[in-house]
Amino acid sequence: MSAFLYAATRTPFGRFNGALAGVRPDDLAAAAITSTLARVPGLDPAAVDDVVWGNANGAGEENRNVGRMAALLAGLPVSVPGTTVNRLCGSSLDAAMMAGRMIESGDAEVVLTGGVESMTRAPWVLPKSAKPFPAGDVTAVSTTLGWRLVNPRMPKEWTVSLGEANEQLQERFGISRERQDEFAARSHQLAHAAWESGFYDDLVVPVEGVDLTRDEGIRAGSTPEVLAGLKPVFRTPEQGGTITAGNASPLNDGASAVLLGSEKAAATIGADPIARIAGRGVMALEPQAFGYAPVEAANRALARAGIGWDQVGAVELNEAFAVQSLACLDAWKVDSDIVNQKGGAIAIGHPLGASGGRILATLAKVLRETRQRYGVAAICIGVGQGLAVVLENCDVTETAQ
C-alpha cells in the first residue's frame, strides 16, 4: 500500500515583523487547513483520521500542540485528533513522512499534515530559578531561532550559531562568496518569475484580514552584484566571512498544509491523487554539520524508491543557506537547472515549521508541470539532521503501486 498527495496549499510567507506579524500561529495553521480542505469539497472533514502538524517552537501561542488547536480553530469535528511534530526545520516534512507511514501500514486512510511558524511572535522565555525569589536579574531568552538555554554538557563545537556552522561548511568545501551570491540572486529571480507566471496562484491562499497575496521577501531586482555589497554577518571579511543577510534565508511567518491519503481514499476525498510517496530518508551528522545532512538523507530516500539520481527530474531543496545548498548539489552532482525551479527559501522565506510542506507541495506541482516522473524534496535541520522524500508523479506513472 502507498500514500498519495491529494491537495496542498500554503499562506504567503511574511517577513519578520511584516504583514503576518499580527496573526497568531494557530490562526495561520487554521488558515492553511481551511484552504487545503477547500480544494477537496467532496471530503467530509469527519473522514480525516488524524492531523499531524509540524512546529519548531511550541513555546508560545502554539500551546504546545498547535496541530490539535489548529484543527479545532479550522472547524474540524472534535472527533478528528491532532498531534504536533518537532524536528525543527524539518517538522512539516517529518509530519508528511509520519502520515505516509500511517497510511502505508493501514492505520489511516486520510491524514492532514502541514506545519506553521510565526518567528515574529516567538516569545522570550525565562528559566525558572533554582531558588524562590532570586535577588539578581533574570535574563529573558529569545525563542525565535537557534540554541537557547544550552545544556553546559554539550560540546562547544556542537553549539555554534547556525551561521558559523555554515561558515565552517564553506571552508570545508571551498564554496566561494561569489557562488553563494549567484545562487541567492537566482532564487529571487526564479521566485519572482514563478509568481509572475501564475505558478503559485493555486498553491498560495491569502490569510483573511491581511493584505498580503505574495511572499513578502522576494526581491525581483536581486543580482550577484547587488548582493556582493552586503557585509558578512557571522565572521568579518578579515576572518574569511562569506555569509550575509542576502545569501541566507530570512526569518519568516507562515503555514503550509498537505492532504495525504491511500489510493482507495480517492473515493472518500473526491479527487484523484497528484503524487505518490515513493521513498523517505533521514540522516544525522555532527550538529554543526547540519547543512550537509540532506545529502545522505536524499540518497537513502532514492534507494528506498528503487531509483537513482539519473531518474530525478526535479529537486526542491530548502535553501537555509546558499552555502549548504551548494554543498548538497555538488555532492549529488545534479543539473542545477532542475533545482528549485520556482525559487527557494532565500527568496520565498523559511518559517521553520512550514517549510517542509512548502517544498513537498511545490515539488508535486513542478513534476506535473514539467511532466517528470520522479522528484526529491530535501531539507536540512538544526542539530545535525536532514530529511528527504521522493515523489512519483501520478500523471506520468502508468501504474500507481
Side-chain angles (χ1 to χ4, degrees):
M1 185 182 295
S2 290
F4 295 84
L5 188 156
Y6 280 88
T9 65
R10 66 174 176 89
T11 69
F13 285 178
R15 291 197 303 258
F16 188 80
N17 279 326
L20 296 179
V23 185
R24 289 174 55 112
D26 47 3
D27 285 329
L28 285 173
I33 290 174
T34 301
S35 61
T36 297
L37 291 179
R39 294 288 190 269
V40 285
L43 173 64
D44 180 356
V48 175
D49 293 306
D50 208 348
V51 174
V52 185
W53 207 256
N55 179 245
N57 202 318
E61 294 165 332
E62 297 90 350
N63 252 313
R64 293 182 287 186
N65 186 3
V66 69
R68 173 63 171 169
M69 307 303 173
L72 294 172
L73 289 168
L76 270 67
V78 295
S79 58
V80 176
T83 189
T84 299
V85 176
N86 186 349
R87 204 190 287 256
L88 302 180
C89 305
S91 296
S92 53
L93 193 61
D94 207 14
M97 293 166 72
M98 291 180 179
R101 295 185 192 103
M102 293 165 61
I103 291 163
E104 291 166 8
S105 69
D107 285 347
E109 292 292 333
V110 181
V111 184
L112 184 60
T113 78
V116 66
E117 211 73 50
S118 175
M119 300 180 80
T120 298
R121 298 175 73 89
W124 292 280
V125 296
L126 288 173
K128 288 185 176 179
S129 173
K131 298 179 180 179
F133 311 115
D137 295 335
V138 179
T139 301
V141 178
S142 173
T143 66
T144 298
L145 179 70
W147 294 88
R148 79 287 301 257
L149 305 177
V150 180
N151 190 315
R153 293 174 54 230
M154 284 282 189
K156 296 297 183 184
E157 65 268 22
W158 286 3
T159 62
V160 297
S161 72
L162 303 180
E164 170 57 26
N166 276 271
E167 289 286 16
Q168 294 178 18
L169 204 62
Q170 67 87 6
E171 283 185 322
R172 175 180 170 188
F173 292 107
I175 297 172
S176 68
R177 165 75 184 269
E178 290 72 24
R179 282 191 71 195
Q180 294 177 53
D181 287 345
E182 288 169 2
F183 185 85
R186 173 185 183 270
S187 183
H188 284 280
Q189 292 161 8
L190 290 178
H192 174 70
W195 271 108
E196 289 296 299
S197 71
F199 176 86
Y200 286 117
D201 288 352
D202 64 347
L203 279 181
V204 180
V205 178
V207 177
E208 186 176 356
V210 177
D211 185 20
L212 182 66
T213 57
R214 293 190 177 189
D215 301 308
E216 197 172 12
I218 298 171
R219 293 177 174 84
S222 288
T223 65
E225 293 73 25
V226 170
L227 295 177
L230 299 177
K231 294 181 179 180
V233 175
F234 303 99
R235 294 182 182 179
T236 66
E238 293 72 25
Q239 295 170 324
T242 63
I243 298 173
T244 72
N247 59 33
S249 62
L251 307 178
N252 297 95
D253 309 327
S256 63
V258 179
L259 182 69
L260 300 177
S262 66
E263 187 171 20
K264 70 178 183 180
T268 301
I269 295 171
D272 293 327
I274 297 169
R276 180 177 75 93
I277 295 180
R280 293 175 292 260
V282 58
M283 181 60 182
L285 301 170
E286 298 86 352
Q288 70 273 27
F290 74 94
Y292 199 63
V295 172
E296 184 58 25
N299 290 339
R300 292 179 178 186
L302 288 168
R304 286 166 183 152
I307 64 170
W309 279 108
D310 60 330
Q311 294 169 270
V312 173
V315 176
E316 283 293 320
L317 173 63
N318 192 61
E319 300 167 354
F321 294 82
V323 63
Q324 63 81 207
S325 299
L326 289 165
C328 291
L329 301 186
D330 290 349
W332 292 328
K333 296 180 172 60
V334 295
D335 181 353
S336 61
D337 288 344
I338 71 168
V339 179
N340 297 354
Q341 299 171 57
K342 307 301 178 180
I346 288 173
I348 292 168
H350 181 22
L352 308 179
S355 289
R358 177 191 73 79
I359 63 173
L360 197 63
T362 303
L363 177 64
K365 186 169 182 184
V366 167
L367 288 174
R368 298 189 86 180
E369 183 183 81
T370 59
R371 302 292 299 168
Q372 294 294 319
R373 182 171 181 177
Y374 291 109
V376 173
I379 194 164
C380 68
I381 302 163
V383 202
Q385 299 189 85
L387 293 177
V389 170
V390 175
L391 288 185
E392 182 181 24
N393 182 359
C394 290
D395 283 350
V396 172
T397 179
E398 294 181 2
T399 306
Q401 313 204 356

